């Protein structure tokens, strides 16, 4: 009797392992819920904005935010339903308190409310807050003379 019970437990464990393996493999083969991502690489808050664009495979309830150093710093969209297709969003570079975020790299994160998944988009956007500076080279001679007298 003990031998039959241990064999039954072993067969049940093997069946559960096979089922878990099949479920995991099926999940790996499922296409990503988003594709064709685009994030503006560099922008200056107050002058331009960063565009976040991706194609949504199925309709879902999305929340999108920006992170810097792994911490959430700004919300782009909070719990809004989108249809399948292209989603266009704008990141202004302004924090929820109305302050311009500091210069640095920001990473967009998309949370899917219906499927309870969160995807970090691998593209980053960089906020550039320093205005460009023009440097003029100094001239050695005011006039260039063919005979070298200057």
């Amino acid at each position: 009797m003990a031998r039959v019970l241990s064999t039954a437990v072993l067969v049940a464990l093997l069946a559960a392992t096979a089922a878990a393996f099949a479920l995991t493999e099926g999940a790996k083969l499922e296409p990503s819920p988003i594709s064709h991502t685009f994030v503006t690489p560099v922008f200056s808050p107050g002058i331009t904005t960063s565009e976040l664009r991706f194609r949504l495979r199925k309709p879902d309830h999305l929340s999108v935010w920006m992170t810097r150093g792994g911490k959430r710093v700004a919300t782009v969209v909070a719990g809004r339903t989108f249809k399948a297709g292209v989603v266009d969003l704008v990141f202004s570079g302004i924090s929820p308190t109305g302050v311009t975020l500091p210069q640095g790299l920001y990473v967009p994160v998309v949370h899917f409310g219906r499927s309870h998944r969160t995807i970090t988009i691998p593209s980053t956007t960089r906020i550039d807050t320093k205005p460009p500076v023009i440097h003029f080279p100094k001239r050695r001679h005011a006039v260039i003379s063919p005979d070298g007298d200057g």
Side-chain angles (χ1 to χ4, degrees):
M1 180 69 169
R3 186 168 225 168
V4 171
L5 185 59
S6 64
T7 303
V9 169
L10 180 62
V11 168
L13 284 174
L14 287 172
T17 302
F21 178 76
L23 186 66
T24 304
E25 286 300 311
K28 285 197 294 187
L29 295 175
E30 180 182 333
S32 175
I34 59 174
S35 64
H36 300 90
T37 60
F38 170 79
V39 179
T40 304
V42 180
F43 77 105
S44 298
I47 300 170
T48 59
T49 56
S50 177
E51 181 182 4
L52 309 173
R53 184 175 54 238
F54 53 88
R55 182 174 297 277
L56 190 60
R57 201 166 56 87
K58 295 178 183 176
D60 209 324
H61 196 72
L62 303 179
S63 293
V64 181
W65 61 85
M66 300 300 283
T67 62
R68 181 169 185 228
K71 294 182 180 180
R72 186 187 297 205
V73 294
T75 300
V76 179
V77 170
R80 190 169 136 208
T81 301
F82 289 90
K83 296 178 183 179
V86 177
V87 175
D88 269 321
L89 303 171
V90 173
F91 171 49
S92 65
I94 307 296
S95 75
T97 58
V99 177
T100 300
L101 293 170
Q103 185 160 306
L105 288 176
Y106 292 82
V107 179
V109 177
V110 181
H111 176 74
F112 298 84
R114 292 188 182 137
S115 59
H116 304 289
R117 285 179 74 175
T118 302
I119 294 178
T120 300
I121 296 177
S123 303
T124 60
T125 188
R126 184 169 61 87
I127 291 181
D128 184 9
T129 57
K130 294 182 182 174
V133 177
I134 300 173
H135 295 282
F136 294 102
K138 291 186 177 183
R139 294 184 290 168
R140 290 187 185 177
H141 302 287
V143 178
I144 298 174
S145 171
D147 61 357
D149 63 355

